[in-house]
């Protein structure tokens, strides 16, 4: 299957069902182009347009703006379906669709002006790696950020900054203590994109470093997760994190399906047993399905409960707040463990091309280095439950 076989997408999708169906339809095309995507070290433009045609970048556009307004569960299902095809494409889709989520923290008139195209792509890192010196009308921004996934095909770039006044850190105006963290939004061409992305996995995501020096950003083009302009589930600081587990879950699903297909015809010469009759193979496959299924149900169950509670105007208890956090970390780590076991099961043939198992394992190893899959997130969840101090308050849904 090639790009020419892609489904017709001239009519914009309007429902979650339509977007998911389109994502599933292009997954085989992404799979066929996975090596090309990896070799390119960023998404080729035809792949970007293929994704755009599914409606993935407009998933979170609110109904009031004429968008499909998918909830977190539906968004994650779409990302998972794309990841069955290719991890880098799914990762860029997951990042690129955050635009309307960011819009919910900006003044509506400003957001409508900046994001006038429902399929516009935004890239960048929200953690405060830059500095923003307060000046009349806005900020002078300088900094270097990394892991700018999809930045090569984005229109807008965001960057997390700490606000300074006369070179000194400004105190958080909401809490009266700690630094003042904001997110700046600026056109992609205002940043210097550095070709740093030469990695073992997620090579096609183009997650390059980017830098800027003394860039003026108007006050209205910045926001804080502490002051949403909308209500409901989309108004929380972790809204941009919720669909991330779709990527590892989809990759692990692809790997499991691949090995199960192999098992139908493979023969264990040493044991003189077909794989389908091998106790060892049966056990590994069943264990993998059990672990992946548990991780997947934890993700979708916690997302559904969280979304329903927040949409109803409820407040999360600490246990409810960290449920989706721990499920998210669990999805990344379980997916990597599952694919590693499958890699070992297949043994020597797994290292020979065109076996995709090597790429899937490298992709998972790389995405597990993201901050949201690190031990500090687990520590932060435990501290949140016990009333202690999280090392990374943002990752457990607490704005600092």
């Amino acid at each position: 299957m090639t790009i020419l076989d892609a489904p017709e997408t001239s009519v914009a999708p309007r429902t979650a069902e339509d977007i998911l169906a389109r994502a599933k339809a292009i997954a085989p095309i992404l799979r066929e182009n996975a090596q090309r995507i990896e070799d390119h070290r960023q998404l080729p433009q035809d792949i970007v347009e293929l994704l755009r045609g599914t409606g993935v970048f407009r998933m979170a556009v609110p109904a009031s703006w004429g968008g499909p307004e998918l909830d977190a569960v539906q968004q994650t299902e779409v990302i998972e379906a794309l990841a069955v095809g290719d991890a880098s494409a799914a990762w860029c889709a997951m990042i690129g669709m955050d635009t309307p989520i960011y819009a919910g923290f900006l003044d509506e008139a400003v957001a409508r002006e900046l994001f006038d195209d429902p399929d516009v792509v935004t890239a960048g890192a929200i953690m405060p790696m830059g500095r923003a010196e307060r000046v009349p009308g806005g900020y002078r921004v300088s900094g270097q950020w990394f892991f700018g996934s999809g930045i090569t095909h984005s229109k807008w770039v965001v960057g997390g900054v700490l606000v300074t006044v006369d070179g000194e850190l400004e105190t958080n105006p909401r809490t009266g203590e700690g630094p003042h963290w904001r997110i700046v939004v600026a056109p992609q061409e205002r940043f210097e994109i550095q070709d740093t992305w030469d990695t073992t996995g997620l090579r096609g995501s183009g997650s390059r470093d980017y830098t800027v020096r003394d860039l003026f950003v108007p006050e209205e083009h910045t926001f804080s997760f502490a002051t949403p302009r909308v209500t409901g589930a989309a108004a929380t600081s972790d809204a941009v994190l919720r669909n991330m587990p779709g990527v590892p879950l989809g990759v692990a699903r692809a790997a499991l399906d691949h090995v199960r297909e192999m098992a139908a015809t493979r023969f264990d010469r040493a044991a003189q047993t077909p794989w389908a009759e091998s106790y060892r193979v049966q056990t590994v496959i069943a264990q993998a399905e059990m672990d992946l299924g548990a991780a997947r149900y934890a993700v979708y169950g916690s997302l559904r409960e969280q979304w329903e509670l927040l949409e109803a105007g409820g407040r999360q208890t600490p246990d409810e707040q960290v449920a989706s956090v721990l499920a998210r970390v669990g999805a990344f780590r379980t997916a990597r463990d599952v694919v590693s076991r499958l890699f070992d099961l297949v043994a020597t043939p797994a290292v020979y091309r065109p076996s995709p198992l090597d790429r899937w394992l490298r992709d998972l190893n790389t995405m597990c280095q993201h901050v949201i899959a690190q031990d500090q997130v687990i520590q932060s969840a435990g501290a949140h439950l016990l009333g202690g101090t999280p090392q990374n308050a943002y990752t457990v849904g607490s704005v600092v």
Side-chain angles (χ1 to χ4, degrees):
M1 185 175 290
T2 68
I3 297 290
L4 297 177
D5 299 313
E8 174 58 41
T9 57
S10 58
V11 178
R14 296 185 178 275
T15 67
E17 293 75 17
D18 189 9
I19 295 174
L20 180 58
R22 293 187 186 199
K24 290 180 176 179
I26 71 164
I29 300 174
L30 295 176
R31 178 78 63 84
E32 289 294 324
N33 284 271
Q35 189 60 54
R36 181 168 72 97
I37 292 171
E38 179 169 70
D39 292 342
H40 206 58
R41 293 195 299 114
Q42 66 185 66
L43 293 192
Q45 191 57 40
D46 59 341
I47 298 297
V48 175
E49 296 310 317
L50 189 67
L51 290 172
R52 200 185 309 275
T54 68
V56 66
F57 296 129
R58 65 171 60 198
M59 287 198 296
V61 174
S64 61
W65 287 26
E69 196 172 348
L70 273 63
D71 63 29
V73 170
Q74 294 165 329
Q75 292 173 26
T76 306
E77 288 174 334
V78 172
I79 299 301
E80 183 181 20
L82 293 171
V84 171
D86 181 71
S88 290
W91 189 270
C92 287
M94 175 268 295
I95 296 292
M97 60 78 52
D98 287 338
T99 305
I101 298 177
Y102 297 139
F105 293 86
L106 293 165
D107 179 81
E108 183 173 350
V110 174
R112 284 182 178 271
E113 178 185 356
L114 295 180
F115 308 135
D116 56 339
D117 178 0
D119 296 308
V120 69
V121 176
T122 302
I126 59 178
M127 300 309 290
M129 292 176 257
R131 291 290 187 270
E133 176 71 12
R134 188 179 288 280
V135 296
Y139 305 90
R140 287 287 175 182
V141 176
S142 297
Q144 178 162 356
W145 297 261
F146 56 90
F147 232 125
S149 303
I151 196 169
T152 55
H153 60 263
S154 68
K155 179 178 181 179
W156 297 100
V157 171
V158 298
V161 296
L162 294 179
V163 178
T164 60
V165 178
D166 296 328
E168 299 296 326
L169 287 176
E170 182 176 81
T171 301
N172 187 324
R174 186 177 71 94
T175 64
E177 58 184 19
H180 182 188
W181 170 35
R182 295 189 72 77
I183 315 296
V184 301
V185 184
Q188 183 243 46
E189 62 268 19
R190 303 299 299 274
F191 295 85
E192 178 188 350
I193 302 173
Q194 301 173 326
D195 190 5
T196 53
W197 195 246
D198 192 2
T199 57
T200 56
L202 285 183
R203 287 179 58 83
S205 68
S207 303
R208 301 179 179 184
D209 289 10
Y210 58 103
T211 185
V212 74
R213 292 290 178 269
D214 201 32
L215 171 66
F216 176 74
V217 179
E219 174 77 36
E220 61 270 21
H221 291 186
T222 74
F223 65 90
S224 167
F225 283 123
T227 54
R229 305 294 182 131
V230 295
T231 59
T236 58
S237 61
D238 63 339
V240 296
L241 305 179
R242 292 178 185 143
N243 60 19
M244 294 187 78
V247 185
L249 290 177
V251 173
R253 181 71 268 161
L256 250 172
D257 289 345
H258 174 74
V259 176
R260 287 177 61 176
E261 289 174 7
M262 289 180 61
T265 57
R266 192 166 178 182
F267 190 84
D268 189 330
R269 294 180 181 177
Q272 290 295 296
T273 305
W275 261 34
E277 297 297 334
S278 166
Y279 180 90
R280 177 178 66 93
V281 174
Q282 293 167 345
T283 302
V284 171
I285 294 298
Q287 182 75 49
E289 288 286 3
M290 180 175 67
D291 293 346
L292 182 60
R296 189 174 188 275
Y297 273 90
V299 166
Y300 283 105
S302 61
L303 284 177
R304 186 172 292 106
E305 291 173 2
Q306 180 192 53
W307 191 272
E308 291 173 353
L309 175 66
L310 293 175
E311 282 294 283
R315 293 180 62 85
Q316 298 179 94
T317 65
D319 288 82
E320 290 169 333
Q321 200 164 10
V322 304
S324 60
V325 176
L326 295 176
R328 181 163 55 240
V329 178
F332 276 81
R333 295 186 173 194
T334 299
R336 177 173 60 179
D337 183 57
V338 163
V339 176
S340 179
R341 280 183 273 148
L342 294 173
F343 190 91
D344 289 344
L345 176 67
V346 173
T348 304
V351 306
Y352 287 96
R353 294 183 177 182
S355 171
L357 281 167
D358 172 67
R359 182 175 61 250
W360 285 326
L361 186 55
R362 287 186 286 106
D363 286 342
L364 283 162
N365 276 326
T366 297
M367 70 180 77
C368 280
Q369 302 313 307
H370 193 283
V371 63
I372 55 89
Q374 298 300 301
D375 285 346
Q376 65 172 258
V377 178
I378 299 175
Q379 178 276 332
S380 297
H384 195 62
L385 292 173
L386 298 174
T389 303
Q391 287 187 7
N392 191 325
Y394 171 70
T395 56
V396 292
S398 299
V399 179
V400 294

